[in-house]
Amino acid sequence: VTERVVGYKTIDADRTISVSELDLPPHIYESDIMWISLRSEIPGITSVELPGAIHGAEHALLAMAPLLILCDAGDVGGVSSPSNPDTGFPTILFYDAFMGGAGITEGLYRSFSRLLNSALSLVSECPCKDGCPACILSPRCGSQNRPLSKPGAIRVLRFLTEKGGCR
């Protein structure tokens, strides 16, 4: 795992937002990881919508992880890519945020069906239209929650819950 802090935002009392860049060395460590590769096209998702769809699904899955594994939200991290260089497919990765791992991703793997169903319920039952902090927006997102697609995330999660949708 390679983590980089590239900057921070400051919000003043008058709601003025300033961004400060940082040039810090990366933090690199070995940890446990699991990934989901989408090896088939997902019905209803175009190549333009795919990045936001898998990113939204990643956030929903991460949001449900602490409820299933009984960990802190910061104990597990994730990243998604519409074309992962290692898998060659759209991929969502999860990793233990601890050097050497802590068994979190192993627990997620063992309870994967419950994780998928919980994430799908979270997003599909949320009354918001485009995504909100209760379903797919994350305060810890390294890409400032961009791109995100709530309808796309629902399609990805439904696809993964169907037989054969996940390999």
Side-chain angles (χ1 to χ4, degrees):
V1 176
T2 301
E3 294 179 338
R4 288 186 174 89
V5 177
V6 296
Y8 62 93
K9 290 182 181 180
T10 305
I11 303 174
D12 296 330
D14 64 354
R15 312 227 352 115
T16 302
I17 300 174
S18 61
V19 178
S20 300
E21 292 183 14
L22 296 172
D23 185 22
L24 298 173
H27 176 64
I28 301 170
Y29 58 96
E30 289 189 25
S31 189
D32 292 336
I33 192 168
M34 83 172 237
W35 68 90
I36 305 162
S37 290
L38 302 162
R39 297 175 183 229
S40 302
E41 286 189 23
I42 302 159
I45 295 185
T46 66
S47 59
V48 172
E49 188 181 25
L50 182 62
I54 62 170
H55 192 193
E58 170 207 338
H59 283 192
L61 291 162
L62 280 171
M64 298 312 295
L67 300 174
L68 295 174
I69 305 302
L70 301 179
C71 64
D72 185 76
D75 292 346
V76 61
V79 65
S80 55
S81 170
S83 181
N84 183 283
D86 294 318
T87 67
F89 297 101
T91 302
I92 302 170
L93 297 139
F94 300 104
Y95 58 91
D96 290 8
F98 298 99
M99 184 177 294
I104 297 167
T105 54
E106 182 180 336
L108 293 177
Y109 179 78
R110 279 187 270 119
S111 57
F112 191 62
S113 290
R114 286 181 51 217
L115 178 66
L116 281 174
N117 288 320
S118 298
L120 178 57
S121 293
L122 173 74
V123 182
S124 61
E125 294 172 11
C126 186
C128 74
K129 180 182 174 189
D130 298 320
C132 69
C135 63
I136 64 169
L137 291 171
S138 170
R140 297 186 339 264
C141 181
S143 57
Q144 292 78 47
N145 290 297
R146 287 181 286 218
L148 284 178
S149 168
K150 180 181 177 177
I154 292 170
R155 286 188 199 102
V156 167
L157 293 167
R158 279 196 181 129
F159 177 76
L160 289 171
T161 57
E162 295 172 0
K163 184 176 179 176
C166 185
R167 292 178 175 70

